[in-house]
Structures are given as structure tokens and as C-alpha cells.
Amino acid sequence: MTKMDHMGRLFMILSLPLILLLTLPLIQMTTEPSFAMLMETLADKDVMVAILRSLSLSLAAGILAFAMGTPLAYLLARKQIPGKKIIEGIIDLPIMIPHPVVGIAILSLAGRNHPLGRFLSEIGIQIMGTKTGIVLVLIFVGLPFYINTVKAGFESVPLRLENASSTLGAGALDTFRRVTLPLTWRHMVLGIIMCTARAISEFGAIVIVAYHPMTAPVMIYERFTAYGLKYSQPVAVWLIFISFALFVMLRMMTRSVHQHYR
């Protein structure tokens, strides 16, 4: 860290419009509802259930991304596999495409008109209008954030440490457990937080796959279309507060990772 010089002050002035663009709408949103209305919304059982549902399903998506995404992140970071660049591009695809398209794609695959949808239905797995479908959507949109974060973590581990472990007689799994995992677990936690935070805000794909059971973003949309801005804002404010708390945690984790590798 250095003191603010002329260039720093110039960059601050140039950054000010962007800072205002990010903060002014949020300040307006969070200060417009009265305290009494916020407390009344918080006491609304349906609102709390929707917010807790968003949190729990997003956390489930983050944990499943950890379980399923860690092996893939390791392969992409450490191994030469066929079509690696194509796989990396496919992983990044959910970041770029409109999320209603994600919902339509999952709907076309899991519907009764597709063999996979009929097979899932026969074994008792329902995607449409269920929590399973919501978690599936949240994994889809959040997985790029987990895999890219953990892949960067694996790439940051010096190969000489893993090679030294191998020359001492440790197998590949022992080397991963004793060397690689202790040096990358912070990236995994950071990836789970990023995946979870992204999942909480998802609306476009969820509203197509599972309008009910209702998550917080879907409830905000419903109250806005049915009752107007006044009744949708307090729910949005509580969602912003929760998202803000998650991202503060995310920043603290990021700082911890940087300090660990300094």
C-alpha cells in the first residue's frame, strides 16, 4: 500500500461515476422502505420462508459444486486432457448466456417429451416445480465461479512440492491429501461462497423451471407485478442485506488467501 499520489487522485475521480452507479440505486432501495415496513416484512412468514429457502438451496448448490467440481478443477489445472479448451469454454458458458435460456434448456431436457425426463420421472426424480430442479439450476449458474476459483488454487501450488512428495514414495492420492489439499482448501471455501452468492440472486432460470416453491427473487418479482414497488422493496432490501453480508465474507476470504500465499 502506498500513499495517494496525483495518479491515485486522478484514478479516484475517474472511478467516482462507477462507484456512484453501484451505490446510489442500492442506497435508494435500502433507505426508501420505512423501518416499520421492514420489520413487518421480516415478520411475514412467507417472506422468511422464501429467504431461508433461497439461502439453504444456494448453500446446497455450493456444497454440491464442491463435491462435483473439485475433481474437474484439478483435471483442468494439472492434466492434459482431450478437448480441454472446449471444456473450459463450456464451463464459462453459463456466465455469458441469458439465464432464461438456461431454464428453457433444462426444461426441454427434463420434460416428459425427452427420454431423460421420462427416465427421471420413472425413478421418482421430479425436476419441474421442485427444490431438486431449483438446486440443479443453481449449480448450473454457479459452477463456473467454483471451478475457475479452485482451478486457480490448484495452479498456484508449486509442482515441485507434489513432485517431492512423489519421490518420497507417496502415491497420487496421498500427495493430493497431504500436499495439494492443505494448500488449496481456502480456494475451495472461497469457491463455495462465490457459487452460493451467485445462486442466491438467480431469477431468470428458476422462474422457468420452478416458479413454486418460491425463492426470494421470485417472490420479489411476484410482489412487484401484483402489488407494485412498495411491497416488493422490503423483500429486496432483506435480500440485499444478506447478499452484502455474504460478499463481505467473500472479501475476507480473498484477503486470507492472499495473505496465506504472500
Side-chain angles (χ1 to χ4, degrees):
M1 293 284 185
T2 59
K3 291 184 178 178
M4 186 76 77
D5 53 13
H6 292 301
M7 189 179 76
R9 282 190 283 274
L10 174 62
F11 280 14
M12 177 59 76
I13 293 172
L14 294 175
S15 302
L16 192 58
L18 189 61
I19 294 172
L20 292 175
L21 176 65
L22 292 174
T23 55
L24 285 180
L26 295 178
I27 291 173
Q28 178 66 24
M29 171 71 79
T30 53
T31 56
E32 195 161 332
S34 65
F35 180 76
M37 181 167 285
L38 286 175
M39 290 297 102
E40 182 182 344
T41 302
L42 193 61
D44 188 330
K45 183 182 175 182
D46 291 339
V47 172
M48 290 308 300
V49 168
I51 291 177
L52 290 176
R53 183 178 294 124
S54 284
L55 286 175
S56 60
L57 296 183
S58 298
L59 183 60
I63 292 172
L64 288 172
F66 160 74
M68 297 185 294
T70 302
L72 181 56
Y74 182 81
L75 287 176
L76 293 173
R78 282 291 192 249
K79 305 297 181 184
Q80 290 297 329
I81 55 177
K84 184 175 178 179
K85 292 298 180 186
I86 296 175
I87 295 173
E88 290 175 338
I90 292 172
I91 289 170
D92 290 335
L93 208 54
I95 299 175
M96 297 177 281
I97 60 176
H99 287 176
V101 176
V102 175
I104 292 169
I106 293 176
L107 180 65
S108 61
L109 193 63
R112 293 185 179 277
N113 295 327
H114 194 278
L116 180 60
R118 289 196 294 273
F119 171 74
L120 291 175
S121 180
E122 287 173 1
I123 63 174
I125 298 177
Q126 299 292 333
I127 301 297
M128 304 307 302
T130 65
K131 292 180 181 178
T132 304
I134 295 175
V135 171
L136 186 65
V137 166
L138 299 183
I139 292 174
F140 192 102
V141 300
L143 200 59
F145 297 91
Y146 180 82
I147 288 184
N148 288 330
T149 303
V150 177
K151 176 172 169 278
F154 286 135
E155 289 172 340
S156 68
V157 177
L159 275 173
R160 57 183 171 78
L161 297 180
E162 295 178 342
N163 292 336
S165 175
S166 299
T167 56
L168 292 174
L173 285 177
D174 277 342
T175 298
F176 180 82
R177 182 170 58 86
R178 295 179 178 178
V179 178
T180 311
L181 189 58
L183 293 174
T184 54
W185 70 267
R186 287 177 175 82
H187 290 85
M188 295 175 189
V189 174
L190 183 60
I192 291 173
I193 292 173
M194 291 185 70
C195 180
T196 303
R198 172 63 192 84
I200 286 175
S201 64
E202 179 55 30
F203 167 75
I206 290 179
V207 79
I208 291 176
V209 173
Y211 196 94
H212 291 282
M214 198 172 285
T215 60
V218 176
M219 174 173 279
I220 293 168
Y221 171 76
E222 186 193 64
R223 293 204 170 188
F224 176 73
T225 54
Y227 307 110
L229 195 61
K230 181 180 178 182
Y231 289 93
S232 63
Q233 276 184 327
V235 185
V237 168
W238 283 115
L239 191 59
I240 288 172
F241 285 162
I242 293 169
S243 300
F244 179 71
L246 274 175
F247 274 95
V248 168
M249 193 190 316
L250 176 67
R251 291 296 180 190
M252 292 173 67
M253 286 298 304
T254 305
R255 180 175 298 179
S256 172
V257 169
H258 285 320
Q259 289 175 347
H260 179 74
Y261 286 101
R262 285 176 62 182

